[in-house]
Amino acid sequence: MAPQAKVQCFAAKDKKGKLERCEYEPLPLQAGDIGTMDLHVVEWISGCVLCYAKRGQPFWKAVLTFFLASAEIKVTHNGLCHSDVHVMREEWGPCKYPMVPGHEIVGVVEQLGSSVTHLKKGDTVGFGWFKDCCQHCDACITGNDNICPEGAATIMGGGKNTGGFAERFRGSGNLAVKIPDNMSPADAAPLLCAGITVWSPIRKYVTKPGMKVGVVGLGGLGHLAIQFLAKAVGAEVFAISHSPNKREEAMKLGATHFVGLEDIKDNTLDVVLNTTPGGMDAKKLLSKVGYNGALVYLGGGTDTIKIVAFDLIPAQKQVVGSCVGGRALMREMFQLASLHDIKPIVDKMPLDKCNEAVDRLMGGEARYRSALGLTG
Ligand SMILES: [Zn+2]
Ligand SMILES: [Zn+2]
């Protein structure tokens, strides 16, 4: 049995976050791959198998589960998310290098572990923030696999941080999402993180048409939130931004109003989605939320939220967080996006321009999400 071909990729080698060409040995996909692995991969796999075994599975079953449930895709497109940059620059804590970014991955199935029966070679599928979950915990069996305590995040999960900025990608077949036929892979990629990140809280907190919803920040997340709220839910959408040059686009996407935060009367919005990467004043945002309303944090992960309990108590307000979404919501989101023609505005470029894409994202120039194609 020949050794497995290494995966060619772009990776950050330190916290400066510059992406360089690199290669790594992938997870084994078939039992025959095991005998040819590097020693460090064997060590890593052993740790993972022990982890499965600890969940109470017989050891042999744990081995099979781990080895045979994977899907390998030939990557065609990746979205670039702010979280990729946070992780590779160690803004969210220590990162294991080399780190391959990319957690909005679309590609074509090329190989399947023998226990994956719901996919076939040639299917176009996507992977998002998670590449594996335990399948058995309370979160997983209730469709909330995005909060599985043992979930493996695609770019920061366990021994190897190998995301989609590569020619190939392997993840659990269970978490591969089928992409609707009428959607291009470049349009589908940003939905795998940005799309589900906004759809999940909309589904939970925007419970009827006509609710007043503020979307703070009109970037990758915000421009999708406006579309889901307007087209799939029928909400009254307040696009909240201080960039007048985004007005026309926001209205075209479906916003009902385009306003600055200070233009909104206190206690008027049912829900506020904070999609900014950070730096917003929580007290000010919360002041715009009305009775029984919710301020939802989708970004700003390292922000300190400075409020007092009386900002919440009299009007029964909530401040909550939301983290991507489970498989059921992911499927629903793709169905709705396909039905209502909800799609990201993408800045298309080839993967080998990934450093330029990062610069554009950080400089606020990306309109609105970079979609990196392997060949352009
Ligand atoms: Zn993301
Ligand atoms: Zn689980």
Side-chain angles (χ1 to χ4, degrees), residues 267-304:
N267 302 310
T268 52
L269 300 177
D270 296 301
V271 178
V272 170
L273 302 176
N274 178 14
T275 74
T276 63
M280 295 299 296
D281 179 337
K283 204 174 176 79
K284 235 183 238 172
L285 290 176
L286 193 59
S287 71
K288 307 302 174 189
V289 174
Y291 300 100
N292 291 324
L295 165 59
V296 189
Y297 271 77
L298 306 178
T302 52
D303 279 2
T304 301

Side-chain angles (χ1 to χ4, degrees), residues 191-229:
L191 295 178
L192 290 155
C193 178
I196 191 65
T197 296
V198 298
W199 176 244
S200 176
I202 289 172
R203 186 69 155 67
K204 192 165 179 184
Y205 299 104
V206 185
T207 51
K208 55 185 184 198
M211 283 177 78
K212 294 179 177 10
V213 184
V215 177
V216 186
L218 300 182
L221 269 61
H223 89 293
L224 286 169
I226 291 173
Q227 294 183 69
F228 278 110
L229 286 162

Side-chain angles (χ1 to χ4, degrees), residues 98-155:
M99 177 269 187
V100 184
H103 59 275
E104 294 181 333
I105 314 162
V106 175
V108 177
V109 174
E110 285 210 320
Q111 288 196 75
L112 292 168
S114 48
S115 71
V116 184
T117 54
H118 64 294
L119 300 174
K120 60 180 189 316
K121 287 181 190 176
D123 283 347
T124 299
V125 301
F127 284 93
W129 183 252
F130 289 102
K131 60 184 165 194
D132 202 0
C133 63
C134 85
Q135 309 282 341
H136 310 291
C137 70
D138 288 347
C140 282
I141 63 168
T142 53
N144 298 297
D145 41 278
N146 55 309
I147 48 173
C148 169
E150 294 181 37
T154 300
I155 56 168

Side-chain angles (χ1 to χ4, degrees), residues 10-74:
F10 283 89
K13 294 187 176 161
D14 56 43
K15 65 190 281 184
K16 284 186 210 133
K18 186 167 164 36
L19 296 166
E20 297 169 37
R21 284 185 189 278
C22 191
E23 60 178 23
Y24 70 88
E25 182 168 344
L27 282 167
L29 196 64
Q30 304 293 350
D33 295 335
I34 300 167
T36 64
M37 290 185 304
D38 286 354
L39 191 59
H40 73 276
V41 181
V42 175
E43 280 169 20
W44 170 46
I45 297 299
S46 311
C48 295
V49 170
L50 280 174
C51 184
Y52 275 83
K54 269 192 237 154
R55 293 173 197 151
Q57 290 182 358
F59 194 74
W60 64 269
K61 200 172 168 192
V63 173
L64 284 182
T65 305
F66 186 78
F67 286 145
L68 306 180
S70 296
E72 177 174 287
I73 60 173
K74 181 180 192 312

Side-chain angles (χ1 to χ4, degrees), residues 340-356:
H340 294 288
D341 197 27
I342 294 169
K343 54 186 176 190
I345 296 172
V346 290
D347 213 14
K348 284 186 197 166
M349 53 177 81
L351 186 61
D352 57 13
K353 293 261 168 64
C354 49
N355 285 304
E356 200 180 300

Side-chain angles (χ1 to χ4, degrees), residues 176-376:
V177 191
K178 279 194 190 168
I179 305 300
D181 291 339
N182 67 347
M183 199 176 278
S184 81
D187 287 343
L191 295 178
L192 290 155
C193 178
I196 191 65
T197 296
V198 298
W199 176 244
S200 176
I202 289 172
R203 186 69 155 67
K204 192 165 179 184
Y205 299 104
V206 185
T207 51
K208 55 185 184 198
M211 283 177 78
K212 294 179 177 10
V213 184
V215 177
V216 186
L218 300 182
L221 269 61
H223 89 293
L224 286 169
I226 291 173
Q227 294 183 69
F228 278 110
L229 286 162
K231 297 180 182 176
V233 177
E236 183 177 348
V237 187
F238 293 70
I240 302 170
S241 168
H242 288 112
S243 308
N245 60 353
K246 290 187 176 175
R247 172 186 292 272
E248 199 184 328
E249 199 116 60
M251 301 306 281
K252 222 188 280 171
L253 291 170
T256 325
H257 314 276
F258 183 91
V259 287
L261 192 60
E262 60 289 343
D263 302 325
I264 300 172
K265 279 193 198 145
D266 284 355
N267 302 310
T268 52
L269 300 177
D270 296 301
V271 178
V272 170
L273 302 176
N274 178 14
T275 74
T276 63
M280 295 299 296
D281 179 337
K283 204 174 176 79
K284 235 183 238 172
L285 290 176
L286 193 59
S287 71
K288 307 302 174 189
V289 174
Y291 300 100
N292 291 324
L295 165 59
V296 189
Y297 271 77
L298 306 178
T302 52
D303 279 2
T304 301
I305 297 174
K306 285 188 196 153
I307 55 169
V308 296
F310 269 131
D311 293 326
L312 302 171
I313 294 170
Q316 300 190 162
K317 299 180 185 182
Q318 321 173 49
V319 179
V320 293
S322 185
C323 173
V324 290
R327 278 174 288 176
L329 282 182
M330 190 79 103
R331 185 178 292 183
E332 180 182 84
M333 175 201 63
F334 271 106
Q335 284 167 349
L336 284 169
S338 158
L339 185 67
H340 294 288
D341 197 27
I342 294 169
K343 54 186 176 190
I345 296 172
V346 290
D347 213 14
K348 284 186 197 166
M349 53 177 81
L351 186 61
D352 57 13
K353 293 261 168 64
C354 49
N355 285 304
E356 200 180 300
V358 171
D359 291 344
R360 284 178 59 74
L361 172 68
M362 300 315 285
E365 295 161 40
R367 287 286 187 277
Y368 283 87
R369 197 72 157 181
S370 295
L372 301 164
L374 211 60
T375 52

